[in-house]
Amino acid sequence: IEEELRVVVEGIRFSGNEAMEEPDLKKVMETKEDRWWRTDAFFDRGVLEDDLDSIETRYREEGYIDAVVTGYDTSFDDEGERVTLTINVDEGELYTISGVDWAGASDFAIEDLRELTKIEEGDVYQPSLADETIRAAYDWYGERGYIHARIATVEDVEDDNRLRLEFVVDEASPAHIGQIHIVGNE
């Protein structure tokens, strides 16, 4: 067995972040800074790559759908046992909703689907609210027997950092109960 040197993360810094502060971004990371109470502050490139994805997701959740982590820099101490990470971020622009539409929904469904919509014109775009809307619509359709309905989200980016959101529905046919079998009744 040949053990390699375990490198401790001395610090995590960010470059290019204006919309979000360092503590908010560090919260979504598994990579942690060394503190006297922490025993797991080691540098692992695989974990850091996952952290970079988490940072991009965090930005998208705040309406910065073009946000990208462009890379990271490492600065090691003289012994190579401690590292400071600098994560480079390109935030992009903040997107707001210019409109929300439902396409493919039947007349009997459209008003209820609009009421279930969690995101409105003028809101900052948050993908999680679009996902909540889809889950609520699936529940609504399922309660009415449309268990094969499918709903997709289409994001149409417009000028001036605005985004039109469209939920495209394929209702399919409602399901019907064919037969009921009772077993075990003696």
Side-chain angles (χ1 to χ4, degrees), residues 12-14 22-29 32-33:
I12 301 172
R13 308 288 175 260
F14 291 87
E22 282 189 11
D24 292 332
L25 297 173
K26 288 178 184 179
K27 285 179 187 176
V28 300
M29 298 177 64
K32 302 294 182 194
E33 296 173 309

Side-chain angles (χ1 to χ4, degrees), residues 76-129:
F76 290 90
D77 68 355
D78 292 338
E79 293 80 32
E81 296 177 354
R82 300 180 74 72
V83 65
T84 298
L85 302 171
T86 303
I87 299 171
N88 305 307
V89 178
D90 179 1
E91 294 178 330
E93 300 294 328
L94 179 66
Y95 282 83
T96 56
I97 299 295
S98 64
V100 179
D101 298 315
W102 286 90
S106 298
D107 290 340
F108 79 90
I110 198 71
E111 286 305 315
D112 288 336
L113 292 174
R114 285 184 181 141
E115 286 181 27
L116 293 172
T117 305
K118 310 280 187 207
I119 195 164
E120 298 176 2
E121 183 177 340
D123 290 349
V124 169
Y125 178 54
Q126 294 179 302
S128 64
L129 292 179

